[in-house]
Amino acid sequence: MILVIDDDTAIQTSLSLLFRKAGYRVRVADGPFETNEVLDQETPALIVLDMNFSIDTSGDDGLRLLRRIRERLPAVPVILLTGWGTIELAVEGMKAGASDFITKPWQNDYLLQAAETAIKLAGTDTRSVSRRQLDEQFQFDNIVGNDPKLLDVLTTVGRIAPTDAPVLITGESGTGKELIAEAIHQNSRRKRQPFVKVNLGGISETLFESELFGHVRGAFTDAKADRVGRFELANKGSIFLDEIGDLAPASQVKLLRVLQDRTFEPLGSSKPKAVDVRVICATNRDLEAMVAQGTFREDLFYRINLITIPLPALRQRANDIPTLVRFFLDNLKVLYNRPDLRVSDEALSWLKALPLPGNVRQLKNLVERTALLVPGNELTVADFERYVPPSVPTAAVRLPQVGSLTLDQMEQQMIQQAMAFHQNRVSKVARSLGITRFALYRRLDKFGIAYSADE
C-alpha cells in the first residue's frame, strides 16, 4: 500500500490514479490526523508526502510530520513532493530521513520509477553471500577478488542494480569505480541500452553544456553542425559521470537542473528534450566535506547519492592481490602469446606487502610492465623490484600525524614531489597520481605550482 499525504484533492486523485494503474493499492490523508489514523490500521510500503499540506506554505508542517513518521516507522521509505522554490527545504527533508524528493510538476514515469526503487530498496535482503553465489546471480566477470569488503560491495551492486536509484561510487583513484559502474549497468534492466561514460575532470567549463547536452548549428563560432550530447546518447540507458567532485559550481547548477527535471536544452536551442537515463556518479573526493566548505552544492549531493558505494583501497583487501596478479598474467599470456608466464610464490608475498597508492590500476601496470621487460617466464621479487617506481617505497608508508597537515596540504606536497620526480612533465605526473591532466592542471593552478605544457 502507498500512502499519499496532501491536502489538495486534485493531487490526491491524480497520484491515486497513477499508482493504482501501476498495480499499487493507495490510501490518502490530508494531514497529521488522518495520517495517524491510517498508520494505526496498517503499515504502508511507501509514503508520498507533500511538503505543504496546509494553508501554511513554509513547509515546516511537512518536516514535522516527516520526523514523526521516521520515529514511528524508520524502515518505511518517504518520497517528498516539492516545488523548485522549496528545494532547500527538500534537502532538510533528506537530512531528516526522506529517501528521495520529486519536484512539481512531476513526470509520471519518473515518479513511478522512484516509488518502485524506494520500495525495492526498503525490502531487500542484506545477508552476506559467497562469491560463487554472487557469480551465479549476477555478471561480475571483470571484477576479481574474494575479500569480504569486496563481497559487500558486490552484494550491494546486486541489490540496487535492478532499480533506477542514482548511485554515487566513492574511493581512491585506481580502486575500480568504473568497473563497478559498468557492473551496475550490466545487471540492470537497461543492460541492452547504451552505457555512456563521461570524465567530468577532462571537460572544461566552457565545453560542459555542449559535451553533455549537445548543441545546434550556429550555437557558437565553431558549431558548424548539430551535435548530440552525452545525455541524449544515454537515453533509455545509463550515464556514468566520473570525477563529479571536479565539477565547477556553474556546471553543478546545470547538471542539477537536468537530474531534477529529466529535461535539457541543447546549447543554442530553446526546445527542451526529455531524457530517461540512470545516473551513476563517481569521485575520489570527500563530497560531504566539499558541501560543508561550500564548493559542492548540497542539493546536487543529495540528488546523486541515494545509494553510496564506498570502494575499499587495495591495501584494505591485500589478500586479493595474488588473485589479481594471476588474473592479469592469464590475460597477458593470451595477449602476448606467452603461455608459460608465471609468478613465484615469494613474489606474490612481496607484492601483498607493497604499498600501492595507485591501487588496482597501479598493480596491473606493474605486473604488465614487468612481464613485458623480463625475458624469463617466471617473475621474481627481483624482477618486480627493478620496475617499482622510486616514488613507491617498498617499506610501510609513514603518514603524518593526524592534525599536523590538512588534506589540501598533503595533496599539495604530493603533487610537488611528483612534479620534481617527473621533471614537470604533466602527463607523467597525472598518470603517476592516477588523475587526468585536466584535473592536475586545476590543482596546479589552485596551489600556485608553476608548470609548462608537455611537448
Side-chain angles (χ1 to χ4, degrees):
M1 182 268 288
I2 294 178
L3 173 60
V4 175
I5 306 174
D6 198 299
D7 67 320
D8 188 328
T9 55
I11 291 180
Q12 289 180 359
T13 302
S14 178
L15 292 178
S16 295
L17 289 173
L18 175 65
F19 289 130
R20 284 177 178 140
K21 187 176 180 181
Y24 295 102
R25 190 165 57 87
V26 182
R27 297 189 65 175
V28 298
D30 63 8
F33 182 75
E34 286 193 2
T35 297
N36 290 332
E37 284 188 337
V38 173
L39 298 184
D40 286 341
Q41 297 168 15
E42 60 180 318
T43 300
L46 171 71
I47 296 174
V48 179
L49 172 63
D50 187 75
M51 294 301 291
N52 297 301
F53 54 81
S54 72
I55 195 170
D56 178 15
T57 60
S58 67
D60 291 341
D61 46 6
L63 279 177
R64 283 194 295 269
L65 181 54
L66 171 63
R67 293 188 179 102
R68 288 200 291 271
I69 291 172
R70 296 261 48 86
E71 290 175 2
R72 181 170 180 174
L73 301 170
V76 175
V78 178
I79 293 178
L80 303 178
L81 286 180
T82 181
W84 265 104
T86 56
I87 287 295
E88 292 183 1
L89 193 63
V91 170
E92 289 300 312
M94 298 290 284
K95 291 180 179 178
S99 61
D100 202 351
F101 65 91
I102 307 293
T103 55
K104 298 177 182 177
W106 64 83
Q107 296 180 20
N108 285 345
D109 290 344
Y110 181 56
L111 180 54
L112 285 174
Q113 283 181 4
E116 181 182 356
T117 294
I119 292 171
K120 282 186 176 180
L121 292 176
T124 50
D125 187 352
T126 59
R127 292 176 296 179
S128 60
V129 294
S130 69
R131 180 61 197 252
R132 176 179 296 179
Q133 290 173 308
L134 288 168
D135 288 338
E136 288 173 353
Q137 298 178 63
F138 309 106
Q139 293 183 23
F140 294 142
D141 298 341
N142 294 320
I143 301 175
V144 179
N146 292 283
D147 187 272
K149 295 183 181 66
L150 179 64
L151 296 187
D152 286 344
V153 169
L154 297 184
T155 300
T156 300
V157 170
R159 288 195 294 115
I160 59 97
T163 73
D164 281 315
V167 181
L168 175 63
I169 307 170
T170 63
E172 298 176 7
S173 294
T175 49
K177 295 186 285 293
E178 184 176 318
L179 284 178
I180 294 299
E182 289 178 346
I184 293 171
H185 176 75
Q186 288 300 324
N187 291 281
S188 73
R189 294 173 297 182
R190 300 173 180 262
K191 62 184 178 182
R192 300 187 187 280
Q193 303 301 324
F195 177 68
V196 177
K197 307 173 189 177
V198 185
N199 183 352
L200 295 177
I203 299 177
S204 67
E205 187 175 353
T206 55
L207 294 176
F208 176 80
E209 282 189 88
S210 176
E211 287 288 335
L212 267 69
F213 313 134
H215 62 251
V216 298
R217 181 181 178 182
F220 49 89
T221 303
D222 294 326
K224 299 179 180 179
D226 291 355
R227 177 178 178 176
V228 177
R230 306 293 184 87
F231 267 92
E232 190 170 355
L233 289 173
N235 192 38
K236 302 298 181 182
S238 304
I239 189 167
F240 174 50
L241 303 177
D242 198 7
E243 296 195 36
I244 194 166
D246 291 340
L247 203 57
S251 299
Q252 292 177 29
V253 176
K254 296 167 186 174
L255 177 61
L256 176 63
R257 176 75 64 169
V258 177
L259 301 185
Q260 192 65 54
D261 290 351
R262 299 283 160 157
T263 61
F264 66 92
E265 293 178 2
L267 190 62
S269 172
S270 59
K271 184 178 180 181
K273 292 186 176 183
V275 64
D276 173 16
V277 63
R278 184 187 194 161
V279 178
I280 305 170
C281 300
T283 183
N284 58 8
R285 307 187 70 176
D286 186 346
L287 292 190
E288 289 192 70
M290 293 177 66
V291 168
Q293 295 164 3
T295 56
F296 197 85
R297 292 183 63 95
E298 188 174 36
D299 43 8
L300 177 59
F301 175 68
Y302 281 108
R303 175 53 66 197
I304 64 176
N305 81 329
L306 179 59
I307 301 295
T308 299
I309 300 180
L311 298 191
L314 187 55
R315 62 183 174 276
Q316 295 173 318
R317 57 181 187 104
N319 287 334
D320 278 341
I321 288 178
T323 307
L324 285 162
V325 172
R326 294 189 184 100
F327 176 79
F328 298 147
L329 284 181
D330 286 342
N331 291 334
L332 294 174
K333 288 177 184 179
V334 178
L335 184 61
Y336 299 117
N337 193 25
R338 295 180 62 184
D340 297 326
L341 197 60
R342 60 191 181 276
V343 60
S344 70
D345 291 339
E346 293 80 7
L348 289 175
S349 298
W350 183 83
L351 287 169
K352 281 181 63 176
L354 184 69
L356 292 165
N359 294 292
V360 179
R361 183 188 296 131
Q362 184 178 7
L363 177 65
K364 181 177 184 294
N365 181 273
L366 175 60
V367 171
E368 184 167 2
R369 183 169 64 251
T370 304
L372 282 173
L373 298 177
V374 170
N377 285 322
E378 183 175 66
L379 307 182
T380 66
V381 173
D383 296 328
F384 284 108
E385 282 183 324
R386 191 181 310 165
Y387 301 111
V388 172
S391 57
V392 178
T394 55
V397 175
R398 182 178 297 276
L399 294 175
Q401 291 186 349
V402 175
S404 62
L405 288 177
T406 65
L407 284 175
D408 273 352
Q409 290 170 329
M410 291 178 64
E411 184 178 38
Q412 181 178 358
Q413 288 186 10
M414 178 59 70
I415 291 173
Q416 288 172 330
Q417 291 178 25
M419 290 288 285
F421 178 80
H422 291 292
Q423 299 178 330
N424 290 341
R425 295 184 65 88
V426 173
S427 294
K428 289 188 175 182
V429 172
R431 281 197 298 271
S432 69
L433 296 176
I435 60 177
T436 66
R437 286 189 301 119
F438 297 96
L440 177 59
Y441 283 137
R442 281 196 293 275
R443 288 166 171 81
L444 292 171
D445 291 336
K446 173 183 175 182
F447 296 124
I449 301 173
Y451 62 90
S452 59
D454 284 354
E455 293 97 30

